[in-house]
């Protein structure tokens, strides 16, 4: 396979059914592509009780300023294959589009980066510094045996990165729209309210926990958490479920839960936000207008999963190198944004400055995930130019 051709590389990767947590042949394909380019490859497997073992990938080449490209080869499940117009792991090309699971999220980003590096090697430009690929098979899953552990594994070997580029799909509509220069934080929790089960026709003998859940929902959502900050959109809370587990229409449930997720700006830390959530829940416990004349309800709050902190990258040369490369290829001045979800950049930011730029995300996780061939070519050129600009900026600093 020609490693300078991002379409051939992406097609080979898509043909590997690497649905989390399965490697599916994707890391072997990557190894076979980059070893002939001079990269040394290691594939550590990380484990943790209660989670699937995950194979990861670290490849590095060269000496000098160190740029780490980071991403994932795992993909989300296909869903009903009948909803696809082409088999999801066949890498079919039709009307200038390459179809397949992972086309944009994010095997396409990896293919473009490999092709960019291969083109530089073919041109005889391998010597500007150190380039590594830090690739996990656990981004779409719990993200416990992936990037976070791989970063520590690399650091324990004495390697350090000067900067990192994550190839996640960052563009909302068209290539060149958006670079991610940080990510919001994320905090999830469940509020459980204890009541007393009973007959709906005899409510004085029961205690409906939904009266309190409604007050909790109201308090959690009523006041804005902030108005946004210079670099972040306003903090937002979404209630993702309210449950009682009660199938009957004539029974007052004995217990109810409310689950929420907050995406938050740099005005908050996970700890300060937890304090604010607990304040709002307490206000609802004692002040709900649907419980007049009753004792305050019994409420417990459980934090779910691992919260993510917000972060903002302040490396001017890294952002400038990427912006200039995007502008040069697409003719657009990309927005520098912290919108959207979290990514593994939340782990990388503890090791070095990190920015993110990849394909257009519109079809990610959908049936018929696809990438325009032209975007794949353009992204390869952007990554190639970015490497030149970033290494030049490092050389200028060193001079
Ligand atoms: N499952 C993982 C990480 C979940 C990350 C997810 N990120 C996105 O969907 C990125 C999409 C985008 O920003 O365009 C999220 O924000 O929930 C875990 O929970 O560790
Ligand atoms: Zn992704
Ligand atoms: Zn994804």
């Amino acid at each position: 396979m020609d490693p300078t051709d991002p379409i051939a590389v992406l097609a080979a990767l898509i043909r590997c059914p690497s649905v989390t947590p399965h490697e599916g042949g994707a890391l072997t394909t990557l190894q076979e592509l980059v070893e002939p380019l001079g990269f040394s490859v290691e594939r550590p497997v990380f484990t943790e009780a209660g989670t699937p073992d995950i194979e990861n990938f670290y490849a590095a080449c060269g000496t000098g300023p160190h740029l780490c490209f980071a991403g994932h080869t795992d993909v989300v499940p296909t869903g009903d294959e009948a909803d696809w117009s082409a088999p999801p792991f066949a890498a079919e090309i039709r009307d200038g589009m390459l179809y397949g699971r992972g086309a944009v999220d994010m095997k396409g980003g990896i293919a473009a980066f490999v092709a960019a590096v291969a083109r530089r090697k073919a041109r005889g430009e391998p010597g500007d510094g150190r380039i590594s690929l830090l690739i996990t098979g656990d981004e779409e899953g719990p993200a416990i045996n992936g990037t976070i552990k791989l970063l520590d594994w690399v650091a324990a070997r004495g390697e350090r990165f000067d900067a990192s580029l994550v190839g996640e799909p960052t563009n909302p509509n068209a290539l060149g729209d958006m670079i991610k220069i940080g990510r919001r934080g994320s905090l999830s929790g469940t509020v459980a309210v204890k009541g007393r089960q009973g007959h709906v026709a005899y409510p004085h003998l029961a205690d409906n926990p939904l009266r309190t859940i409604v007050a909790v929902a109201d308090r959690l959502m009523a006041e804005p958490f902030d108005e946004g900050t210079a670099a972040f959109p306003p903090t937002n809370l979404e209630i993702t479920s309210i449950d009682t587990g009660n199938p009957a229409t004539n029974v007052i449930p004995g217990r109810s839960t409310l689950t929420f997720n907050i995406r938050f700006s740099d005005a908050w830390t996970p700890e300060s936000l937890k304090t604010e959530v607990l304040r709002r829940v307490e206000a609802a416990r004692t002040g709900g207008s649907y419980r007049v004349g009753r004792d305050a309800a019994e409420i417990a709050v459980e934090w779910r999963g691992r919260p993510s902190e917000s972060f903002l990258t302040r490396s001017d040369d890294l952002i400038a190198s990427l912006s200039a490369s995007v502008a040069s290829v697409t003719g657009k001045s990309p927005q520098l944004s912290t919108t959207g979800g979290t990514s593994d950049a939340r782990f990388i930011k503890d090791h070095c400055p990190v920015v993110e730029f990849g394909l257009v995300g519109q079809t990610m996780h959908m049936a018929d995930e696809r990438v325009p061939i032209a975007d794949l070519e353009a992204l390869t050129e952007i990554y190639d130019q970015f490497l030149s600009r970033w290494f030049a900026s490092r050389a200028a600093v060193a001079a």
Side-chain angles (χ1 to χ4, degrees):
M1 184 193 331
D2 176 6
T4 65
D5 178 4
I7 296 127
V9 174
L10 177 55
L13 290 173
I14 285 177
R15 289 190 192 108
C16 302
S18 51
V19 176
T20 325
H22 303 291
E23 185 271 333
L27 298 180
T28 298
T29 300
L30 204 51
Q31 182 165 2
E32 287 167 1
L33 280 160
V34 302
E35 274 180 343
L37 300 175
F39 283 79
S40 61
V41 174
E42 293 187 73
R43 290 167 59 175
V45 175
F46 299 126
T47 62
E48 192 159 318
T51 61
D53 293 358
I54 298 287
E55 192 167 351
N56 294 272
F57 180 101
Y58 182 68
C61 179
T63 54
H66 189 165
L67 187 282
C68 173
F69 176 85
H72 61 93
T73 48
D74 62 319
V75 295
V76 295
T78 60
D80 188 347
E81 293 198 19
D83 292 337
W84 289 70
S85 66
F89 299 112
E92 189 173 302
I93 296 177
R94 187 170 9 107
D95 300 330
M97 296 275 185
L98 177 44
Y99 286 74
R101 176 57 81 226
V104 294
D105 184 14
M106 57 157 281
K107 289 177 173 177
I110 294 172
F113 191 80
V114 167
V117 170
R119 287 177 188 186
R120 298 174 70 77
K121 299 264 178 190
R123 291 198 307 267
E125 294 174 29
D128 359 50
R130 187 161 178 78
I131 296 175
S132 58
L133 287 101
L134 185 124
I135 308 292
T136 184
D138 186 23
E139 195 277 342
E140 301 288 10
I144 287 171
N145 293 317
T147 301
I148 190 166
K149 287 192 172 135
L150 189 55
L151 286 161
D152 287 343
W153 180 90
V154 172
R157 301 162 70 86
E159 284 256 47
R160 70 173 277 283
F161 308 129
D162 293 299
S164 176
L165 169 67
V166 174
E168 290 281 13
T170 52
N171 295 285
N173 297 305
L175 201 72
D177 284 346
M178 188 177 283
I179 291 172
K180 297 275 169 94
I181 57 161
R183 293 278 183 167
R184 292 184 291 178
S186 177
L187 175 70
S188 296
T190 294
V191 181
V193 177
K194 188 166 175 292
R196 191 167 62 252
Q197 186 175 325
H199 196 304
V200 283
Y202 301 90
H204 55 290
L205 300 176
D207 183 2
N208 193 339
L210 287 167
R211 291 177 176 275
T212 305
I213 284 284
V214 169
V216 169
D218 185 51
R219 281 285 182 161
L220 286 178
M221 291 189 295
E223 280 174 61
F225 284 84
D226 57 51
E227 303 295 334
T229 64
F232 284 83
T235 295
N236 182 60
L237 177 146
E238 290 296 326
I239 293 171
T240 54
S241 74
I242 294 179
D243 295 314
T244 61
N246 174 24
T249 56
N250 60 353
V251 174
I252 290 172
R255 183 176 183 274
S256 177
T257 59
L258 175 154
T259 297
F260 61 87
N261 174 263
I262 308 177
R263 297 299 166 116
F264 58 92
S265 74
D266 56 354
W268 301 92
T269 64
E271 289 314 311
S272 67
L273 201 51
K274 283 180 183 178
T275 302
E276 174 61 11
V277 167
L278 293 176
R279 186 189 71 76
R280 293 184 183 205
V281 169
E282 179 58 17
R285 191 175 81 85
T286 53
S289 57
Y290 301 106
R291 288 186 58 84
V292 175
R294 293 173 186 262
D295 293 341
E298 201 178 304
I299 303 185
V301 177
E302 182 196 348
W303 306 108
R304 304 279 299 270
R306 165 188 50 196
S308 302
E309 295 167 353
S310 69
F311 74 93
L312 183 66
T313 295
R314 298 181 195 276
S315 168
D316 292 341
D317 61 337
L318 180 61
I319 295 169
S321 299
L322 185 53
S323 290
S325 306
V326 172
S328 159
V329 175
T330 67
K332 296 201 257 184
S333 187
Q335 189 188 342
L336 306 181
S337 173
T338 58
T339 56
T342 65
S343 77
D344 279 1
R346 69 194 143 144
F347 308 128
I348 299 169
K349 65 110 171 54
D350 294 332
H351 294 254
C352 66
V354 54
V355 289
E356 299 176 67
F357 185 78
L359 291 161
V360 176
Q362 268 176 7
T363 60
M364 61 178 162
H365 296 206
M366 289 184 179
D368 270 352
E369 182 175 348
R370 59 195 178 277
V371 57
I373 298 294
D375 280 8
L376 212 47
E377 280 293 352
L379 184 62
T380 303
E381 178 60 22
I382 289 168
Y383 285 162
D384 191 349
Q385 290 196 18
F386 164 73
L387 288 168
S388 296
R389 285 192 172 86
W390 186 77
F391 282 125
S393 76
R394 296 300 298 195
V397 169

